Amino acid sequence: MFAVGLFSLYWLWAHIVPIYGRIYRGAPIVETPYLAFCLLMAPPAVLVFVIAASVCAWTGKKFDPPNHSFLFRFQNLMFSTSIKTIIYAVPAMMIITTAILLLRDYSPCPKLLISGSAWQLFWVKDERACFKPTRYINDNWPCKIIGDQEVCFRPDGK
């Protein structure tokens, strides 16, 4: 569970946080993996599982804290936080992110969609950047062959 927690924090840091930097910089293409927003619910639940596994390993008994104890209240708080996050915060973040993109004059570009990535959407600031790529390089940079040259768009705005 510790590895799952670290992976979810890494995925949030590497795939969700950069979205807002790209929007701020006015990147030509913003990749939005909407399914990754669901990982916001993982850290509180994973924290409880790590603590429970540690207690089990230390005591050799199952994790069942008595009612009204600190660990019982902490467990309930983390699980309820996780559930409320997936029900309220995740959809709100998706809607807010979409609204920010629309307000900053981005438009969705389904042509850039990578095959098999139903919860991922590319937003473009310039309609010329919306095309059917022949391949992707690096970190989902779309490329197209024009004549005898391959042209690749760097979507991060740097």
Side-chain angles (χ1 to χ4, degrees), residues 8-136:
S8 65
L9 289 174
Y10 164 75
W11 193 265
L12 288 168
W13 183 257
H15 292 91
I16 297 299
V17 174
I19 292 172
Y20 303 104
R22 291 174 182 157
I23 294 170
Y24 178 75
R25 285 191 306 270
I29 301 171
V30 176
E31 177 187 2
T32 312
Y34 284 105
L35 192 58
F37 283 97
C38 294
L39 289 175
L40 289 168
M41 62 82 62
V46 167
L47 182 60
V48 168
F49 283 118
V50 168
I51 291 172
S54 300
V55 168
C56 290
W58 185 262
T59 64
K61 300 177 186 174
K62 73 176 187 171
F63 183 74
D64 188 19
N67 292 349
H68 308 296
S69 69
F70 170 75
L71 281 177
F72 182 80
R73 288 191 309 273
F74 181 74
Q75 171 184 317
N76 286 342
L77 174 69
M78 290 297 110
F79 282 141
S80 67
T81 300
S82 186
I83 290 169
K84 288 176 183 172
T85 300
I86 196 75
I87 292 173
Y88 301 115
V90 168
M93 289 287 294
M94 289 178 181
I95 291 168
I96 290 169
T97 302
T98 302
I100 290 170
L101 284 162
L102 290 170
L103 289 172
R104 299 287 304 247
D105 294 329
Y106 282 93
S107 59
C109 179
K111 291 180 188 176
L112 286 173
L113 187 64
I114 297 172
S115 177
S117 58
W119 284 88
Q120 178 184 20
L121 185 60
F122 286 90
W123 293 79
V124 296
K125 202 155 185 71
D126 184 1
E127 285 302 319
R128 292 177 293 177
C130 188
F131 59 90
K132 182 73 178 160
T134 54
R135 72 182 187 122
Y136 294 88

Side-chain angles (χ1 to χ4, degrees), residues 134-135 143-152:
T134 54
R135 72 182 187 122
C143 298
K144 185 173 184 155
I145 296 176
I146 300 173
D148 60 347
Q149 281 191 322
E150 184 175 47
V151 178
C152 298

